[in-house]
Amino acid sequence: RDLFVRNFTEKLTMYALGRELDADDMPPVRAIVRTSAARNHTLSAIVSGIVSSAAFRYQAPPPKATALKGQKD
């Protein structure tokens, strides 16, 4: 079960951040798994941990979409 929760948290964090995780992201992921254990690893506990993480809160905004050249409005 612990392996499933850790992998699920990693994948959900990657989705939330919109990028692959690197070594610097693993300590916060493990902390989310540990703190969610107190709430029986519920989905809401994992999501709360992800959205309160520094990586999620301080991520760069997505780049602005640019209009295609030659396209009329």
Side-chain angles (χ1 to χ4, degrees), residues 11-24:
K11 300 298 181 189
L12 194 59
T13 303
M14 286 191 315
Y15 180 78
L17 298 177
R19 63 175 173 81
E20 294 286 324
L21 299 181
D22 56 24
D24 293 335

Side-chain angles (χ1 to χ4, degrees), residues 13-68:
T13 303
M14 286 191 315
Y15 180 78
L17 298 177
R19 63 175 173 81
E20 294 286 324
L21 299 181
D22 56 24
D24 293 335
D25 295 313
M26 297 316 295
V29 167
R30 288 190 296 268
I32 292 167
V33 171
R34 279 193 308 273
T35 57
S36 71
R39 292 174 49 193
N40 201 24
H41 296 296
T42 59
L43 179 60
S44 63
I46 294 170
V47 171
S48 294
I50 291 170
V51 299
S52 64
S53 70
F56 183 82
R57 288 184 291 134
Y58 300 118
Q59 65 183 329
K64 292 182 180 178
T66 58
L68 297 175

